[in-house]
Amino acid sequence: MTDDNTPWMRLLRELFGDDAEAALAELERMGMDPSALAQASGMLGNPAMMDHVLGQIRSLISQSQGEDVNWTLAHDVARGVAAQGGDPSITAAVAQAHRAAISRAELWLDAATDFDPTSLEPRVVSRAEWVEATLPTWRVIAGPVAVSVSKALGTILRGEDGSGSAMEAMGLNGDEAGALVQSVSPTVCGMHMGQAAGQMSRETFGVTDLGFPLLAEPRVTLVPTVIREFAAGLDLPDDEVLTFLALREAAHVRLFAAAPWLPGHLHNLIERYAAGISIDLEALDSAVSEIGVTDPAKLQAALTEGIFNPRHSESQEETLASIETLLALIEGWVDEVTLRAAAPHLGSIGALSEMLRRRRAAGGPAEDAFKTLLGLELRPRRMREAAALWREVTTRAGAESRDRVWSHPDMLPTSTDLDDRAAWVTRWVDGGGEADDVDRELEALLRGAVEDSQRPPSDDDENGPATPQV
């Protein structure tokens, strides 16, 4: 039995809590002697150094005072999760190969859609760089829910929910209890946000896997490490897997660039849904009672299981349906365009498309992230129906008519339309000429307004409207 009073075990206890013994056993199983490493560093023989290390660990908790979520910790945890197992920097050769795949994808997409590619240079990034680039969007989208969870957790810790204070159960009161509540809730929620974002960096191929862009700018981005690990598990040529994923990323980015209203509209829907989320205090209180507050890592893990109230308001149900429908339409459009772009070139396009469908059904990174952070579950059935709708429009009216649907949110099919897509397609195809007339009238109106604004002022403009001539 390991002596719990040794400096080394003190450090492990701070790091791993009750899992310290298991962590030590795992290090030894790997052929490492942690105590020898610590001795070599001079830490065991230097109490001041040991106290410094322990102080740094404790500061992770204390640094969050004054905010509902410890965003600094969220960033650090996300980077740590991204680096697990190694996160190599992108070499020039790897970057060149991925940019070549993107160029190939863009060329093929030109034949499948009139939407133009973005003018921004593509990026090829490591997992850590993905975290740095996307965390600001995570904070905007999931931040309000994280704050709600943090406040709910603080309510339970203080016993304001009527269940009795967890602080009192630990023998703490007054200033001690207040300080602990102020640090535990932000710390746990910061860990929760960081864990979700870090896990996404290990599973996402680019910045559009969620169905909406995680960057403020429309830029094609690929993560080679994730793509390589994914391709290794498939019995398909690596270059075909890479090109297929580059096609999907580039198609997403073209859509978001061609319909600039789309990302903001989707973000607003998600924020509206998140604003109405309520926390299941009973489930959260049960987790706190079972785990306690001395192990933030275990408490953070408990936040992924059933803390959101499953009962939604009528308004939330409507917003949820809108989100699911819009995401399904986006993914369905990308499926259709990618299939048409790749069919003449990739012999394995059928196997690749089926692989992606199975990944969605099993719960890919998008599904996991939404469920973990927002309690929002996506339905693959909607995506398949949306893909079928876009395919029928393309077949009956062509790619130009299909893509014109994205010119305004009011023109998109609704969830009810997806239930009877044949009727919607018929209405759209039959009414295509009317849509063209509206577009032409609007264009003429706008052109006239521009011409009027550029016309130099005349005497009539300065002295009032001219008298009509009869």
Side-chain angles (χ1 to χ4, degrees), residues 335 350 352-362 380 384:
D335 282 354
L352 287 164
S353 298
E354 179 60 25
M355 166 273 301
L356 193 63
R357 281 193 291 269
R358 291 180 179 179
R359 187 172 187 255
R360 286 177 185 150
R384 290 192 295 271

Side-chain angles (χ1 to χ4, degrees), residues 156 279-289 302 305-308:
I156 290 172
I279 311 302
D280 188 339
L281 292 179
E282 184 176 345
L284 188 57
D285 184 38
S286 177
V288 172
S289 300
E305 301 177 5
I307 64 162
F308 297 120

Side-chain angles (χ1 to χ4, degrees), residues 15 60-61 63-64 68-78 81 146 183-199 295-301 303-304 372-373:
L15 285 170
L60 290 175
I61 295 180
Q63 70 184 209
S64 61
D68 291 309
V69 177
N70 187 338
W71 295 109
T72 300
L73 180 57
H75 168 271
D76 293 345
V77 169
V81 173
S183 64
V184 168
S185 296
T187 297
V188 169
C189 291
M191 293 172 66
H192 186 53
M193 284 291 301
Q195 181 70 30
Q199 190 60 39
D295 193 338
K298 286 186 178 180
L299 194 54
Q300 175 269 318
L303 296 185
T304 65
T372 297
L373 295 177

